[in-house]
Amino acid sequence: MSYIQINLGGKERGLKFNQMSVITMTKYLDFENIPATYGYAIVYAGLVANCYVKREEPDFTFEQICDLVDEMSLDDITKVRDCFEATQVFKSLLPKEEEVMTKKKPKSSKEKV
């Protein structure tokens, strides 16, 4: 499933997770502080991608969405995250299992060369 509806600021809104959402998310995600910015970026990206697919103009700003995300319950944020992480577009971003399994651990700085 790549779509979820949530209540933001008293209004039901759809979030669509597709390639557009990934593109948007990378623009708004602070890669030096991912845990703190992930919620803002994922909700905003899902909203933007939903508007894009429906050919609607967004009636919100990133700043407004950040304020609304701060008011969301942990349960709703978890539902949004789970929806995104269940999509094929998210899974395609992850390294293949065989790549993870065959990677060698880096030598520790204490090992002699």
Side-chain angles (χ1 to χ4, degrees), residues 42-84:
I42 194 171
V43 172
Y44 184 74
L47 290 166
V48 168
N50 191 57
C51 288
Y52 178 78
V53 169
K54 292 184 173 187
R55 296 291 189 217
E56 298 173 350
E57 285 296 317
D59 63 346
F60 51 84
T61 65
F62 181 69
E63 181 179 5
Q64 290 169 329
I65 298 307
C66 288
D67 289 342
L68 293 174
V69 168
D70 285 339
E71 297 172 7
M72 285 175 65
S73 69
L74 181 58
D75 185 50
D76 282 345
I77 292 172
T78 301
K79 287 177 185 175
V80 170
R81 183 207 61 209
D82 290 348
C83 181
F84 173 61

Side-chain angles (χ1 to χ4, degrees), residues 5-24:
Q5 273 195 323
I6 59 170
N7 189 298
L8 279 173
K11 183 176 180 179
E12 287 296 314
R13 294 188 176 267
L15 285 77
K16 179 75 174 166
F17 296 110
N18 54 20
Q19 292 177 359
M20 176 58 82
S21 64
V22 172
I23 291 167
T24 303

